[in-house]
Amino acid sequence: LNSLESEKKFVSFEKSAYQAMVNDQSRTPLFEQAIINRLNAAEGGPGSQVVLDLGTGPFALFAVLAAKNGAGKVFAIEASKEAAEAARDTVKKLGYDDKITILEGFSTDISLPDGIKADLCVAEIVGSVASEEGAYATILDAHKRLVKNPNDPKSWIPSRIQTYAAPASYTLHNLFLPPAFDWTKLSGEPVRFNCRDEGLQLLSDPVLVEDISCADVEKDYGTSKKKEVIFSLDEGRIQKNIISFSEEFKRGRLPNEEAERLSIATGNSVSGIALWPRLILDDSVEVNSRHYPDGGHQKSHWQTVLPIMAATPVAIKGGDQVAARFDFDVPVDVTRPASYKIDGEVIRH
């Protein structure tokens, strides 16, 4: 759904992806509630507040929500020329062009008019790995230049962005094996899943592997973040996964005997480490792309990503452990893509 365009150096989306974000009932209403909470809590009332929307998109969604709920002035920044033009059309059609100003370009290259700084910054620039769309560099720059009280968590929506991880089993990794299919040709590019895709199942409880506080972004997150985690593989999950995999293979019209054999093999294997985002909007509102805290499936426009970490699935059993090492290189330059390295091994018991 997204890509870092080689010439333009920004993350772009297909129109259908933007529409999916707007329609995501696990996301959009919660952002609106958080925006209302912040505006109504302002000492001077909503009309006293200047709101900054980073990465507004063609529908200027959160900028419009801020204006609709009484914000005095809204600045909405969008790097894509096409999306910025569409955002201006959207704002004009909705009658908010007196309140909302669309600014085209990278926020890191833009200053707000007359030295204005925002009371509230909405920064929904969160990828399936939270930092993959340049959130760290963008928030760090806004923290330094564009936000009035950047050290106050109430100046940010979301106030924190996080990435969770867990080892996972994957149906197709077991169905398509070498030499007919060479998974190493993915060259580290992860497989991306709809968060309700039952072909991917977690083998353990999720663990927090990335945590960025917008208010504390200058001091609590570096450009290189390393973490080591031991995941304990749960026999109860494995047995439930086998049932889910059996249903998946049968839906794929495999004969019952073959479906049962593959479901057992898939359930007792690990293909890689799955990752997905979680957003803390404020003290009372959060957005989960998978069910929290167990990582179960639920509807979300965010995808779960799975780097395939071996040419063939690695056999496991309940009680085994996966030792994983995470090395996230998250640059301060918004035009340079982040890189993520994960390696690990199974510890057998």
Side-chain angles (χ1 to χ4, degrees), residues 29-42:
L30 297 175
F31 266 86
E32 180 169 22
Q33 185 57 58
I35 290 169
I36 292 170
N37 291 348
R38 298 291 177 83
L39 292 176
N40 288 344

Side-chain angles (χ1 to χ4, degrees), residues 56-328:
T56 198
F59 302 112
L61 178 61
F62 298 134
V64 168
L65 290 177
K68 184 180 79 172
N69 287 287
K73 182 63 183 176
V74 182
F75 295 98
I77 299 178
E78 174 54 52
S80 164
K81 179 180 180 180
E82 293 79 10
E85 289 176 352
R88 290 189 187 97
D89 289 341
T90 298
V91 167
K92 187 174 182 179
K93 287 176 183 176
L94 293 174
Y96 290 115
D97 47 331
D98 60 332
K99 274 194 175 185
I100 301 174
T101 299
I102 306 296
L103 302 171
E104 181 186 325
F106 288 116
S107 63
T108 51
D109 297 330
I110 291 173
S111 295
L112 300 184
D114 302 319
I116 294 172
K117 292 192 175 184
D119 299 287
L120 171 62
C121 179
V122 182
E124 203 291 71
I125 42 178
V126 180
S128 295
V129 179
S131 57
E132 74 170 321
E133 293 179 11
Y136 173 66
T138 303
I139 292 167
L140 179 63
D141 175 74
H143 193 283
K144 293 177 179 177
R145 301 188 307 110
L146 302 177
V147 178
K148 188 180 296 182
N149 296 305
N151 297 315
D152 183 355
K154 293 183 174 60
S155 296
W156 303 91
I157 296 176
S159 62
R160 304 187 83 90
I161 60 174
Q162 302 175 327
T163 303
Y164 276 79
S169 309
Y170 176 30
T171 49
L172 297 188
H173 194 207
N174 285 264
L175 184 61
F176 301 122
L177 297 172
F181 194 93
D182 183 3
W183 289 92
T184 64
K185 287 185 177 180
L186 291 176
S187 301
E189 185 67 24
V191 180
R192 293 179 179 265
F193 294 82
N194 180 300
C195 283
R196 293 183 292 175
D197 191 331
E198 297 284 342
L200 175 80
Q201 299 288 343
L202 307 183
L203 288 161
S204 78
D205 291 338
V207 171
L208 178 66
V209 295
E210 182 178 50
D211 187 13
I212 300 174
S213 164
C214 295
D216 297 323
V217 69
E218 288 189 290
K219 62 183 180 181
D220 77 345
Y221 200 84
T223 56
S224 181
K225 196 76 169 178
K226 297 182 179 182
K227 189 179 184 74
E228 296 185 6
V229 177
I230 301 292
F231 297 96
S232 296
L233 307 188
D234 183 86
E235 178 64 23
R237 282 182 180 263
I238 290 172
Q239 294 307 314
K240 290 180 180 178
N241 293 350
I242 289 172
I243 294 171
S244 296
F245 289 141
S246 177
E247 294 171 354
E248 282 290 296
F249 284 124
K250 288 176 182 176
R251 274 194 289 270
R253 298 185 178 180
L254 288 181
N256 285 351
E257 185 175 335
E258 180 70 359
E260 292 304 320
R261 182 190 68 79
L262 274 171
S263 63
I264 292 171
T266 304
N268 286 281
S269 72
V270 60
S271 293
I273 306 293
L275 304 116
W276 63 93
R278 180 172 186 250
L279 293 72
I280 311 301
L281 303 191
D282 62 23
D283 292 340
S284 62
V285 184
E286 61 191 43
V287 175
N288 294 296
S289 63
R290 297 183 72 93
H291 187 267
Y292 182 80
D294 61 7
H297 298 84
Q298 68 174 42
K299 186 175 181 179
S300 172
H301 85 276
W302 275 287
Q303 298 168 312
T304 297
V305 298
L306 179 73
I308 303 296
M309 296 175 66
T312 59
V314 177
I316 52 87
K317 65 180 185 304
D320 287 348
Q321 295 177 314
V322 171
R325 292 168 291 278
F326 299 84
D327 185 358
F328 289 4

